[in-house]
Amino acid sequence: MIALFSLTLVVFASSLHVEAQDSGSRIKVYANRGDNITLPCGLEGQSSMFGNRIKWTKLEDDSTETEVLVSMGLHKRTYGNFQNRVYLLEVDDNDATLVITNLDLNDYGTYRCEIINGMNDKNVEVDLELQGVVFPYYPRLGRYNLNFQDAEAACLEQDAVVASFEQLYGEWRNGMDWCNAGWLNDGTVQYPITKPREPCGGVRTSAGLRTYGRQDKSNSRYDVFCFTASLRGRFYYLIQPKRLNFDEAVDACKRDGAEIAKVGHIYAAWKLLGYDRCDAGWLADGSVRYPISRPRMNCSPTEAAVRFVGFPDKKQKLYGVYCYKPQP
């Protein structure tokens, strides 16, 4: 018999606060990028004389499974990107809790724990959710120019990954409204609408996620919704005596011991840290943007947002620059 409960894990700098709720749903664990977290799993009752066989896998969006860890007595093996980052907690003989260290953006998803112990077997699924932000993205080429592989690369270049349906749905529930269709990591193309209107599915349709369904990953071209999580460094606007062109902006950050910031950095700073600056600045992809968390006259007066100026000529000396200094 499998006992299921809901677990919310909030990680602070020096301590853990765990709140468990018996909601009848499967286990959920919330964490930040870079955290060390535990995914709970274990048997009740006495242990078997033959020991436990434990297998952890990650369930992918294409219905495949990625092996994470297999344990048979003293013999343990980890796989792929999880090598040297995961281990079993093993508080006692029946504990199969998995520890994942230094959480990465790609660690988001559903994990399955299987314990085989004679008559007392168990299967548990754990949802690992990262605190972060979804943002729409297209490159200098313009809108609707990315196939799925291009979309994956575009997000990675901006310190992000392609967002999941659940992540986009969460942003829609928080008010995200965007009338351009973008790839999600399951190969579908969708867009979130909170204010129905004629150019975006029609005024008589209800608010929600509009979907084009699964598309040809090689030949279909759209924008992309990217997901990024908490910063592992410092994001800031670099004060300069004059406006800069793109190359000067890159050099200015380097002279300050940093790098020019990416689009994922500005969204994470804005959404997760409340960063607010009414100065348009260059970013690494050649775009110019500025983050507003406190709407006011001349600075996004109607809503909090990362404002997009565009992809100007890189030779123009009209803007400042946003820099990012990774943690050592």
Side-chain angles (χ1 to χ4, degrees):
M1 182 176 181
I2 302 176
L4 296 179
F5 58 94
S6 175
L7 179 73
T8 302
L9 178 65
V10 182
V11 183
F12 298 94
S14 59
S15 63
L16 291 177
H17 172 71
V18 180
E19 179 184 347
Q21 298 176 342
D22 186 359
S23 64
S25 62
R26 65 188 185 186
I27 301 168
K28 287 183 179 292
V29 173
Y30 297 86
N32 294 306
R33 176 162 55 176
D35 285 343
N36 300 334
I37 56 94
T38 58
L39 305 185
C41 182
L43 288 174
E44 296 80 22
Q46 295 182 347
S47 59
S48 166
M49 62 180 293
F50 300 107
N52 298 327
R53 181 182 185 275
I54 299 167
K55 182 179 181 180
W56 277 94
T57 55
K58 185 173 184 284
L59 309 184
E60 305 295 351
D61 288 294
D62 59 1
S63 300
T64 61
E65 296 187 23
T66 298
E67 289 188 318
V68 177
L69 178 147
V70 174
S71 172
M72 297 180 65
L74 297 177
H75 302 286
K76 295 177 175 61
R77 183 177 179 183
T78 56
Y79 298 85
N81 185 49
F82 295 100
Q83 289 185 1
N84 302 318
R85 289 202 306 125
V86 300
Y87 60 91
L88 296 179
L89 193 60
E90 295 181 315
V91 172
D92 55 44
D93 291 340
N94 288 331
D95 184 23
T97 295
L98 183 72
V99 179
I100 305 179
T101 63
N102 192 23
L103 276 183
D104 184 73
L105 288 173
N106 289 304
D107 293 334
Y108 163 88
T110 300
Y111 292 77
R112 176 177 292 155
C113 170
E114 301 177 57
I115 305 175
I116 300 175
N117 185 304
M119 297 286 292
N120 195 18
D121 299 345
K122 186 171 185 178
N123 287 272
V124 172
E125 291 187 359
V126 183
D127 293 326
L128 173 58
E129 299 190 10
L130 291 179
Q131 308 284 8
V133 58
V134 174
F135 61 94
Y137 186 77
Y138 63 88
R140 180 177 285 273
L141 286 173
R143 287 174 173 160
Y144 293 0
N145 271 292
L146 303 173
N147 65 21
F148 185 77
Q149 290 74 27
D150 295 334
E152 288 183 310
C155 288
L156 285 175
E157 288 173 358
Q158 303 310 317
D159 191 45
V161 294
V162 179
S164 70
F165 170 83
E166 291 79 9
Q167 289 166 340
L168 183 62
Y169 178 74
E171 290 291 347
W172 169 76
R173 292 193 64 182
N174 288 329
M176 187 179 193
D177 184 278
W178 192 257
C179 197
N180 294 304
W183 290 103
L184 297 179
N185 68 357
D186 61 359
T188 63
V189 173
Q190 308 195 36
Y191 62 100
I193 296 297
T194 58
K195 300 182 288 291
R197 51 201 183 275
E198 200 56 50
C200 307
V203 294
R204 296 184 179 180
T205 57
S206 60
L209 294 188
R210 307 278 194 263
T211 180
Y212 293 171
R214 295 185 183 276
Q215 298 291 305
D216 186 315
K217 289 185 175 182
S218 297
N219 297 317
S220 297
R221 295 184 180 275
Y222 296 94
D223 296 345
V224 62
F225 289 98
C226 301
F227 173 82
T228 193
S230 53
L231 296 173
R232 302 298 307 280
R234 177 184 170 225
F235 172 87
Y236 62 101
Y237 182 81
L238 182 62
I239 303 296
Q240 292 286 287
K242 61 180 182 178
R243 299 297 183 180
L244 309 170
N245 64 30
F246 179 76
D247 289 339
E248 290 170 340
V250 172
D251 290 340
C253 288
K254 287 182 179 178
R255 289 196 303 271
D256 202 51
E259 62 189 47
I260 189 169
K262 300 177 179 180
V263 177
H265 296 150
I266 196 171
Y267 270 96
W270 165 73
K271 183 66 176 289
L272 304 177
L273 301 177
Y275 194 94
D276 182 281
R277 183 91 193 190
C278 197
D279 291 288
W282 291 103
L283 295 175
D285 66 340
S287 67
V288 173
R289 308 174 196 243
Y290 59 98
I292 298 297
S293 59
R294 294 180 288 105
R296 54 201 183 275
M297 289 298 296
N298 301 321
C299 297
S300 188
T302 60
E303 63 178 352
V306 173
R307 286 303 184 189
F308 176 57
V309 175
F311 287 96
D313 185 331
K314 289 185 175 182
K315 295 180 181 180
Q316 290 183 350
K317 295 188 176 187
L318 297 176
Y319 308 104
V321 62
Y322 288 96
C323 302
Y324 180 71
K325 191 172 293 186
Q327 289 179 351

